[in-house]
Amino acid sequence: MARLHLFDLDGTLLHGTSAPVQISRQLGLEAETVALDQAIGAGLIGPPEYAQQVYALWASLTEAHVVAAFEGAPWLARIREVWAEIREQGDYCAVVSLSPSFFVERLTSWGAHAAYGSRFPAVPFTEPVDPAGVLSAAAKVLIADRLCEQFRVTRADCIAYGDSSSDKDLFAAVPISVAVNADHHLSDISTHSYKGMDLWEAYELVRHVR
């Protein structure tokens, strides 16, 4: 049976940061977005409020800003190599993130079979963000189930990689999980834990599990 590897983005594939922070850095608004990351991490605001506030910060955002943010972000090493091997093994890999879809979906060009993020309008913005399209921790599980159906696997065939409380629901739903540069709140409930800057090393923990 094939396996489905489910990757979080912020703090997992991106080391110590989030896609919104990297995007905001291009506009000189990094500090404002770090504060929003801290607020959502502390449970002071929810994903819809977060999305609406970063949307307001990005009024002047252009495609060039997004490209620069993506290309200059602190990615873990060997992401593409891991996804290439997953494909070669006949398995599947997907990214499921609360970050904006226009950033997350770029990872399909690196080899992800699918990439899901909170639904934002196209850049530059000419319409508002729809709160109904903003993902949550629970939505990650629903998307994982949809991907299972698409790839004809079950939850029992899934491996999740994440770093924060937004990954707890998914970790609870699948049998194997890898906490990547996570604090003890997530590493305590994961099957494996990894700290470092190389995704291949995290992948090695589950590479031969069948």
Side-chain angles (χ1 to χ4, degrees), residues 6-23 69-70 73-76 79 83 94-108 110 112 115-118 140 160-164 166-167 170-171 180-181 199:
L6 298 159
F7 295 90
D8 172 56
L9 173 63
D10 301 324
T12 303
L13 299 177
L14 284 175
H15 184 259
T17 188
S18 69
V21 167
Q22 295 304 304
I23 293 165
F70 187 88
W75 299 100
L76 290 194
I79 293 173
W83 292 350
V95 182
V96 186
S97 170
L98 273 58
S99 277
S101 50
F102 61 76
F103 189 97
V104 180
E105 290 167 0
R106 292 176 176 273
L107 288 165
T108 57
W110 284 15
Y116 286 87
S118 292
K140 285 191 171 188
Y161 304 73
D163 77 302
S164 69
S166 71
D167 302 303
L170 187 56
F171 274 34
V180 179
N181 295 317
L199 187 63

Side-chain angles (χ1 to χ4, degrees), residues 64-105:
H65 290 131
V66 178
V67 170
F70 187 88
E71 292 180 351
W75 299 100
L76 290 194
R78 296 200 282 181
I79 293 173
R80 280 169 277 201
E81 288 84 349
V82 168
W83 292 350
E85 168 150 316
I86 288 172
R87 283 176 169 270
E88 288 167 7
Q89 296 294 321
D91 294 333
Y92 302 96
C93 52
V95 182
V96 186
S97 170
L98 273 58
S99 277
S101 50
F102 61 76
F103 189 97
V104 180
E105 290 167 0

Side-chain angles (χ1 to χ4, degrees), residues 128-193:
V129 62
D130 180 2
V134 177
L135 301 188
S136 63
K140 285 191 171 188
V141 179
L142 296 176
I143 290 172
D145 284 341
R146 255 186 273 152
L147 289 167
C148 283
E149 184 176 355
Q150 177 183 342
F151 298 129
R152 298 181 180 180
V153 298
T154 70
R155 286 188 184 183
D157 306 308
C158 291
I159 300 170
Y161 304 73
D163 77 302
S164 69
S165 59
S166 71
D167 302 303
K168 282 186 174 181
D169 289 6
L170 187 56
F171 274 34
V174 303
I176 301 173
S177 54
V178 183
V180 179
N181 295 317
D183 65 22
H184 71 91
H185 293 102
L186 196 67
S187 60
D188 285 352
I189 64 168
S190 65
T191 333
H192 303 277
S193 184

Side-chain angles (χ1 to χ4, degrees), residues 3 5 91 159 176 192 203-210:
R3 297 181 302 172
H5 297 257
D91 294 333
I159 300 170
I176 301 173
H192 303 277
Y203 170 61
E204 281 276 14
L205 298 173
V206 295
R207 186 181 179 196
H208 299 296
V209 174
R210 286 289 172 182

